[in-house]
Amino acid sequence: DEDLEDCFFTAKTSFFRSTPSKVPAKNVTQTVEEEKPEPPTIQEIKQRIEKYNAKVTNCLLMKLNEDGTYTGFIKVHLKLRRPVTVPAGIRPQSIYDALKEVNLADMTDKRTSFYLPLDAIKQLHISSTTTVSEVIQGLLKKFMVVDNPQKFALFKEMRKDGQVLFQKLPLTEYPLYLRLLAGPDTDVLSFVLKENETGEVEWDAFSIPELQNFLMILDKEEKDKIQQVQKKYEKFKQRLQQTL
């Protein structure tokens, strides 16, 4: 069952997580939350927006509203390693559908899975009050993905000392504010949508058939790994025998 496999993948990744290596890695995921500074005043926001817009090299400017909120653009990189579930036989969403808030996913019960293009980039126009949770839901809606939003997480990607650092953002964080603080340069800060694989697994929440299916999947993966190792060493033995 495809849904159970997706659920098991998330569960297994968390349950069978290996001990981190002491060797520095090029890509590091941080889960420790940073302390948030005091909320800026409207005057400080205005100054930051003016400074931000002065660095913008395209038309993607931020705009301050009278109530102190502001709007702008963020780009999200899609780095999903597993397929997503979408309605089968449904055409892409049109501008008319978007304006009328038509949810094409509700028009059919049939589902299919496919891989989103690796490293695809989606540009979103959001508000300073738009949360990470709303950004994730908005991305899934644009691609007509019907998977549970909890399967995904938004990360901020930063580069420091030759390393690429990923930090998972809380669902209540405001991405546009982070964009404003970092400036428009995506080399300093960028946003990435990835699978959410850091949650703790509550095995008691699964039914007996689901747990049995998990065991079947685990058994199949174990056999595949054993075959891969056996083939690897068999080739190595053959080369040694040829050399002898």
Side-chain angles (χ1 to χ4, degrees):
D1 186 272
E2 189 172 287
D3 292 336
L4 289 180
E5 287 189 10
D6 286 342
C7 185
F8 175 73
F9 175 80
T10 302
K12 179 170 69 71
T13 304
S14 176
F15 185 72
F16 297 102
R17 189 178 304 278
S18 59
T19 303
S21 172
K22 294 182 180 180
V23 180
K26 293 184 178 180
N27 295 315
V28 181
T29 301
Q30 297 178 341
T31 56
V32 180
E33 296 185 13
E34 299 175 352
E35 294 185 3
K36 295 183 179 180
E38 292 294 325
T41 63
I42 295 181
Q43 184 60 30
E44 289 174 337
I45 291 176
K46 181 179 180 181
Q47 293 175 352
R48 285 187 178 276
I49 290 178
E50 291 176 350
K51 184 178 179 181
Y52 179 96
N53 289 342
K55 297 180 180 178
V56 172
T57 57
N58 47 37
C59 61
L60 305 180
L61 302 174
M62 288 198 186
K63 180 181 179 182
L64 180 64
N65 302 318
E66 294 182 358
D67 60 359
T69 62
Y70 49 97
T71 57
F73 297 85
I74 64 170
K75 292 181 179 180
V76 181
H77 295 249
L78 306 179
K79 295 185 177 181
L80 302 177
R81 296 183 294 107
R82 291 183 60 79
V84 295
T85 305
V86 297
I90 295 295
R91 59 179 170 77
Q93 189 179 43
S94 66
I95 296 178
Y96 173 82
D97 294 330
L99 292 175
K100 296 297 182 180
E101 296 185 352
V102 175
N103 189 356
L104 297 176
D106 294 336
M107 295 183 177
T108 178
D109 293 330
K110 296 181 180 180
R111 299 289 183 261
T112 187
S113 297
F114 80 105
Y115 286 90
L116 287 174
L118 187 62
D119 284 339
I121 301 176
K122 188 65 179 178
Q123 186 170 277
L124 300 175
H125 184 254
I126 63 174
S127 166
S128 57
T129 60
T130 304
T131 63
V132 165
S133 176
E134 292 170 333
V135 167
I136 294 175
Q137 294 179 38
L139 285 169
L140 298 183
K141 184 177 180 181
K142 284 182 178 295
F143 287 98
M144 295 189 293
V145 176
V146 296
D147 290 310
N148 191 323
Q150 294 181 356
K151 290 185 178 181
F152 307 92
L154 191 68
F155 290 76
K156 66 176 182 180
E157 179 182 330
M158 301 161 290
R159 301 180 185 275
K160 183 179 180 181
D161 299 331
Q163 288 187 331
V164 179
L165 307 177
F166 290 94
Q167 182 178 25
K168 181 181 175 182
L169 296 174
L171 294 176
T172 55
E173 183 63 271
Y174 302 106
L176 192 61
Y177 178 61
L178 298 178
R179 180 80 278 161
L180 177 62
L181 293 180
D185 188 354
T186 55
D187 288 336
V188 176
L189 170 71
S190 60
F191 296 103
V192 179
L193 183 71
K194 301 172 66 178
E195 284 87 358
N196 185 12
E197 300 172 0
T198 59
E200 293 297 328
V201 180
E202 296 181 5
W203 295 104
D204 293 339
F206 295 101
S207 65
I208 297 299
E210 288 175 329
L211 293 173
Q212 291 175 339
N213 194 51
F214 291 164
L215 290 175
M216 291 174 58
I217 296 173
L218 183 60
D219 184 61
K220 181 180 181 300
E221 290 187 358
E222 182 183 17
K223 291 179 180 179
D224 291 341
K225 290 293 183 181
I226 292 174
Q227 290 179 357
Q228 291 176 10
V229 173
Q230 288 176 336
K231 290 180 179 179
K232 173 183 176 181
Y233 283 95
E234 185 62 30
K235 290 182 178 179
F236 186 64
K237 290 178 182 177
Q238 290 177 359
R239 291 177 182 175
L240 282 176
Q241 289 175 352
Q242 291 175 358
T243 302
L244 291 173

